[in-house]
Amino acid sequence: MRSPVALEEPVFRPPSEADSLILQLTVGCSWNRCTYCAMYRSKRFRVRPVEEVLEEVRAVAPLVSGVRRVFLGDGDALAAPLGDLEAVLGEIRARLPGVTRVGLYADSRSILKAGVDGLARLRDLGLGIVYFGPESGDPETLRAVRKGATVERQLEACRVVRASGVKLSVMVLLGLAGVEGSERHARATGRFLLAASPTYAAALTVTPVPGTELWDEVSSGRFQLPDPFGTLQELEWMLEEMAGYRGQLHANHASSYLPLKLRLPADREGALALLREVVARRDPSLLTPEWARGL
């Protein structure tokens, strides 16, 4: 569901927010420099005037009385001033009493700026989940893709969200270090997830998008992506490093070659056995065909 009020396109949201009412508190991405991401390249980041957003909530309330979830866009709504977030969450609670959860994307900078106390205040007003994309647990990979944050800073951001009582959904990207850095990236990312201990974790497969530096590097031959079986090998390496991890790990995004939805640790050994078999057989018929995959 989207707001009956016009949104500034393009608009993105996590798959789990497919039925959510989307309200733009911010426009664009506060960082917008990652070499692999084209989502907000056409937008200049800004925080919308809070009165505009409050009026939007009031206007849509009679039209979406049955809505249960709200997603605050765009790429880093937590970068808005804390007072603005509190006002918008308060208005949602007052005008849309049926809403059970509000979610948003956040960057490590905005998470650490809000801190445990700030996020706890937002939790009390209805913020239920933060979606965060550290992408990798490998320092070299983070530098190469211009993530703008260290492994330690991103782990601290995860700790802050967990300590605030808000649910944390973390996304990592298979293939992000190319063939050359494949194992280093995958194993470091598995260790990162083990240490971060998010509520939910998702492993997506990196897909070069026109208009990004990654696309240019792949097109010119300067960067070689793992093939589908190399990508699944990364997921295997990642899982090998996650002994003792407790929680959900979803590798069933539209970009995945072998969709898996795992509850760890119960599903870990079975998933490892399956991945090892598929990687060893290298049978394309076992994979999601390219035409059925998406971003």
Side-chain angles (χ1 to χ4, degrees):
M1 177 188 293
R2 289 188 177 181
S3 167
V5 177
L7 300 174
E8 185 170 327
E9 300 287 349
V11 174
F12 301 91
R13 46 86 184 151
S16 57
E17 300 287 347
D19 297 324
S20 300
L21 170 66
I22 299 177
L23 300 168
Q24 283 177 306
L25 177 56
T26 60
V27 174
C29 173
S30 62
W31 179 247
N32 211 21
R33 302 175 198 176
C34 299
T35 63
Y36 53 87
C37 183
M39 288 168 61
Y40 302 106
R41 294 287 178 109
S42 63
K43 294 183 176 184
R44 176 185 59 83
F45 178 76
R46 66 187 188 279
V47 179
R48 292 182 62 204
V50 68
E51 281 301 328
E52 284 186 9
V53 184
L54 296 177
E55 182 54 40
E56 192 168 289
V57 175
R58 297 176 195 125
V60 303
L63 307 176
V64 294
S65 57
V67 69
R68 305 290 289 174
R69 290 184 177 181
V70 171
F71 180 75
L72 297 178
D74 267 335
D76 186 11
L78 193 59
L82 194 62
D84 290 5
L85 282 155
E86 290 176 319
V88 170
L89 288 169
E91 197 70 15
I92 291 170
R93 172 165 287 183
R95 304 285 178 167
L96 297 166
V99 169
T100 58
R101 190 181 80 180
V102 178
L104 49 72
Y105 284 131
D107 181 86
S108 60
R109 300 161 191 79
S110 60
I111 291 171
L112 295 176
K113 182 179 178 181
V116 175
D117 291 344
L119 282 168
R121 284 160 54 189
L122 299 180
R123 177 206 65 210
D124 291 343
L125 287 167
L127 180 64
I129 189 167
V130 166
Y131 297 91
F132 173 44
E135 323 302 3
S136 177
D138 174 51
E140 188 172 336
T141 301
L142 292 177
R143 287 192 294 270
V145 301
R146 296 208 307 260
K147 186 64 183 173
T150 63
V151 174
E152 294 76 17
R153 187 175 179 85
Q154 299 204 116
L155 276 175
E156 177 62 11
C158 292
R159 185 200 67 80
V160 165
V161 177
R162 294 197 328 267
S164 74
V166 176
K167 291 181 179 179
L168 172 65
S169 180
V170 162
M171 183 188 72
V172 298
L173 283 175
L174 302 173
L176 191 60
V179 170
E180 183 177 347
S182 183
E183 184 169 5
R184 184 191 70 241
H185 158 62
R187 292 195 180 279
T189 301
R191 294 191 294 271
F192 179 94
L193 290 174
L194 182 62
S197 189
T199 316
Y200 310 104
L204 283 64
T205 300
V206 69
T207 304
V209 180
T212 64
E213 294 80 0
L214 179 62
W215 173 272
D216 294 339
E217 290 178 4
V218 171
S219 299
S220 68
R222 299 193 305 272
F223 186 91
Q224 183 182 358
L225 287 169
D227 68 12
F229 296 100
T231 299
L232 296 177
Q233 175 75 81
E234 285 197 10
L235 185 56
E236 176 191 331
W237 284 329
M238 194 174 80
L239 276 170
E240 286 178 349
E241 299 294 329
M242 294 175 67
Y245 181 92
R246 303 187 68 84
Q248 297 183 43
L249 173 62
H250 294 175
N252 60 345
H253 183 263
S255 63
S256 299
Y257 285 103
L258 184 68
L260 296 173
K261 187 174 181 179
L262 308 176
R263 187 174 293 277
L264 305 178
D267 297 334
R268 180 171 173 270
E269 292 305 319
L272 282 170
L274 174 62
L275 287 165
R276 288 165 183 157
E277 178 184 359
V278 172
V279 170
R281 290 176 60 182
R282 298 187 68 83
D283 180 355
S285 70
L286 300 174
L287 307 180
T288 301
E290 288 292 344
W291 62 265
R293 295 177 61 245
L295 285 174

